[in-house]
Amino acid sequence: MCAIVGVFGNSEASKIAYYALFAMQHRGQEATGISSSNGEKITTVKKRGLVTDVFDKKALTKLKGNMAVGHNRYSTAGKESIWDTQPVYASYQLGKISIVHNGNLVNKNEVRASLIEQGAIFQSSMDTENIIHLIAKSQKKDLKNRIIEALDKIKGVYCLCIQSKTKMFAIRDRYGIRPFSLGRLKSGGYIVSSETCAFDLVEAEFIRDIKPGEMIIFKQGCHEYESIQIFEPDPHICAFEYIYLARPDSNIEGKNVYLARKEMGRALAREKKVDADLVIPVPDSGVSAALGYAQESGIPFDMGIVRNHYIGRTFIEPTQEKRDIKVKLKLSPINSLLKNKKIVVIDDSIVRGTTAKRIIKILKEAGASEVHMRIASPAIKHPCRYGIDTPSYKELISANYSTEEIKEQIKADSLDFLSIDALKTSLGNDTNYSLASFDGNYFIK
Ligand code: AMP
């Protein structure tokens, strides 16, 4: 998951990066960091914690210069330590660089083993450090060609922002799995960011998505950026960005995430109809799809469950016990609305089944006469290897049980998922999607 941002050519670069990271807090809540450059010196502030906790006025004043890169961390590869926070800063033969990375390298272990064999020393468990070592080892004469050579050796998912003292490189892997967009700041200069929701907050105008396999180069003193297609594009946009990860007000590849979710809800209503009195969402993740389901089915929509907003996402809790209590703390029913009603409850996805079990229980305890669960995505049968923190096969409920068996376990009156075909149709069949979690097609070999 993770969020990255790069700001170039604006005297308030670190402040703009800060706001952009704040807008993208949903993509990572474990740690955050910003590196800025004033042309002579790169300064970095990074720490475990939320954006508003890590950066105060003093920290932002320290981050001088008209370029900055930033990162919100959600750990997929790497452990929970200060060494695993980004930006990763390093000195090498041609100078100093600072790098932020969103994604997951699939050949991380092989590359690392070979680098260690050649004498490299690693400080963190992040795959991002591999890229730094490969850049440092390259014999090419300039940073651009060193980056290209390094990326040629790695396989997997990455959106990168690499900053030297005077240049910034924004790169998206050839599959374009994670979103990455380019914008022009109204106050001057450019911004690249994982999600377009950051643009609205910092008053940037969307230019376009960075293309799969593209490198964009910003240079001090140049008003225009340079674009090079460094790898042949083979687009596979992650369907899960639309289903769950991205913020509803973001647009990915020209599609608004909220509207895409609503469309999935509509498709679900057409495909997996049920007779009920009320459609209710699991807040907040099921709201957009539930609205679509209600509009398509004609069943009234209502908020039958309220969410306590002072608790983070349940999935982030590392142990099952903690996850259970957090779901309880997070969601509570409106009894007088639900009593004696036949309910269709909509969520975006089922991972381990913790949320679904708890939701059905609280709806039944609130007096619902029937609870039918509909999920606005296909069953997740395979772990993600491309940057989302989904658990292993062992913990994925749909990898181990049939829909009927899960229905029994969560004690629903019925349960159904959106089909893969309906998901594709709802997103528009105009591009390829990465559907590995649903169909097990790990296309990066
Ligand atoms: P679970 O309770 O384990 O079945 O997880 C499903 C819930 O977690 C749903 O309400 C989803 O909205 C949410 N969810 C799905 N994928 C993720 C993810 N990668 N990170 C955090 N939450 C997620």
Side-chain angles (χ1 to χ4, degrees):
M1 218 153 138
C2 301
I4 64 168
V5 60
V7 180
F8 191 88
N10 192 299
S11 56
E12 303 263 34
S14 60
K15 210 161 153 194
I16 293 166
Y18 162 81
Y19 281 120
L21 292 175
F22 178 77
M24 296 189 289
Q25 187 75 81
H26 60 286
R27 294 185 74 85
Q29 298 148 358
E30 209 174 280
T32 183
I34 297 175
S35 270
S36 72
S37 169
N38 63 359
E40 287 168 7
K41 193 171 163 233
I42 295 180
T43 312
T44 302
V45 174
K46 57 178 184 173
K47 231 169 148 181
R48 292 178 60 76
L50 299 175
V51 175
T52 45
D53 298 333
V54 171
F55 298 105
D56 52 14
K57 213 165 169 195
K58 203 169 130 211
L60 289 173
T61 316
K62 235 169 87 179
L63 291 162
K64 292 188 174 47
N66 74 347
M67 52 196 276
V69 296
H71 188 267
N72 283 341
R73 178 166 172 77
Y74 182 118
S75 102
T76 47
K79 300 195 192 87
E80 292 180 20
S81 87
I82 186 65
W83 294 112
D84 286 314
T85 53
Q86 296 198 30
V88 181
Y89 171 75
S91 289
Y92 75 115
Q93 200 185 7
L94 302 182
K96 305 209 178 344
I97 48 171
S98 195
I99 168 168
V100 288
H101 169 212
N102 171 25
N104 215 26
L105 306 183
V106 297
N107 65 342
K108 168 188 168 180
N109 295 341
E110 293 96 292
V111 171
R112 183 162 286 212
S114 131
L115 285 165
I116 289 174
E117 215 174 276
Q118 294 164 54
I121 297 167
F122 285 87
Q123 287 185 315
S124 78
S125 59
M126 279 186 299
D127 39 15
T128 317
E129 233 190 316
N130 289 3
I131 303 174
I132 295 246
H133 275 288
L134 291 170
I135 293 171
K137 250 179 65 59
S138 165
Q139 295 304 306
K140 298 281 184 198
K141 295 279 177 290
D142 60 14
L143 180 54
K144 175 180 92 183
N145 285 302
R146 283 184 178 229
I147 296 172
I148 296 173
E149 191 179 80
L151 296 180
D152 215 17
K153 296 200 168 76
I154 62 167
K155 272 194 241 157
V157 183
Y158 52 83
C159 288
L160 290 166
C161 246
I162 303 175
Q163 170 183 260
S164 70
K165 281 193 282 192
T166 55
K167 286 187 193 131
M168 186 182 290
F169 300 82
I171 309 134
R172 193 172 179 197
D173 68 65
R174 60 188 293 243
Y175 309 104
I177 294 181
R178 299 281 145 238
F180 202 18
S181 303
L182 169 67
R184 185 179 287 107
L185 289 155
K186 287 193 184 140
S187 52
Y190 293 95
I191 178 169
V192 290
S193 138
S194 295
E195 281 190 41
T196 61
C197 65
F199 292 178
D200 302 332
L201 188 59
V202 302
E203 300 204 350
E205 172 202 349
F206 171 81
I207 299 176
R208 62 175 173 84
D209 289 314
I210 297 175
K211 290 177 221 139
E214 182 184 10
M215 171 188 263
I216 291 182
I217 310 168
F218 304 97
K219 285 186 203 146
Q220 290 286 21
C222 294
H223 288 297
E224 283 310 308
Y225 56 86
E226 188 189 340
S227 154
I228 322 172
Q229 193 66 39
I230 55 173
F231 297 113
E232 174 126 357
D234 179 12
H236 282 78
I237 292 129
C238 172
F240 218 70
E241 291 281 350
Y242 292 100
I243 294 167
Y244 173 81
L245 297 187
R247 228 172 75 162
D249 53 336
S250 287
N251 300 317
I252 308 171
E253 302 295 325
K255 283 179 205 111
N256 172 256
V257 171
Y258 171 73
L259 294 179
R261 282 182 194 160
K262 238 172 123 179
E263 195 45 48
M264 289 175 221
R266 284 182 176 280
L268 187 65
R270 287 192 292 271
E271 205 179 41
K272 307 289 158 71
K273 235 181 162 157
V274 63
D275 174 36
D277 303 316
L278 277 183
V279 176
I280 66 157
V282 174
D284 293 327
S285 52
V287 173
S288 332
L291 272 166
Y293 194 101
Q295 286 175 1
E296 185 70 24
S297 64
I299 304 170
F301 171 95
D302 229 319
M303 295 296 290
I305 304 164
V306 286
R307 177 176 163 184
N308 185 328
H309 279 271
Y310 300 96
I311 298 173
R313 289 182 166 186
T314 49
F315 201 80
I316 283 161
E317 279 306 321
T319 64
Q320 188 63 30
E321 197 185 317
K322 273 202 197 161
R323 262 193 298 270
D324 286 340
I325 179 75
K326 247 189 158 175
V327 177
K328 239 187 220 173
L329 291 169
K330 192 163 143 183
L331 304 168
S332 28
I334 299 173
N335 296 3
S336 29
L337 178 75
L338 299 164
K339 201 161 175 55
N340 300 326
K341 297 272 174 42
K342 280 193 248 172
I343 307 292
V344 199
V345 58
I346 313 281
D347 204 359
D348 68 299
S349 58
I350 290 186
V351 181
R352 297 178 175 86
T354 318
T355 311
K357 235 178 253 169
R358 176 70 197 146
I359 287 284
I360 311 278
K361 189 162 178 259
I362 59 178
L363 292 174
K364 292 243 160 137
E365 281 171 2
S369 57
E370 286 174 33
V371 181
H372 302 273
M373 185 144 212
R374 293 291 178 273
I375 304 296
S377 68
I380 301 174
K381 297 188 172 185
H382 307 270
C384 178
R385 294 184 190 159
Y386 303 147
I388 306 176
D389 183 25
T390 43
S392 63
Y393 279 107
K394 220 173 99 200
E395 286 175 89
L396 282 176
I397 195 163
S398 293
N400 296 288
Y401 301 98
S402 67
T403 302
E404 186 56 29
E405 286 168 332
I406 300 170
K407 182 206 97 174
E408 295 296 324
Q409 288 184 29
I410 65 174
K411 301 195 166 59
D413 292 287
S414 75
L415 167 71
D416 237 319
F417 294 86
L418 188 69
S419 69
I420 295 182
D421 278 346
L423 168 66
K424 285 201 273 194
T425 315
S426 327
L427 292 176
N429 282 314
D430 51 344
T431 185
N432 270 338
Y433 297 96
S434 168
L435 300 163
S437 309
F438 312 119
D439 63 9
N441 175 16
Y442 296 112
F443 53 90
I444 306 178
K445 301 291 174 217

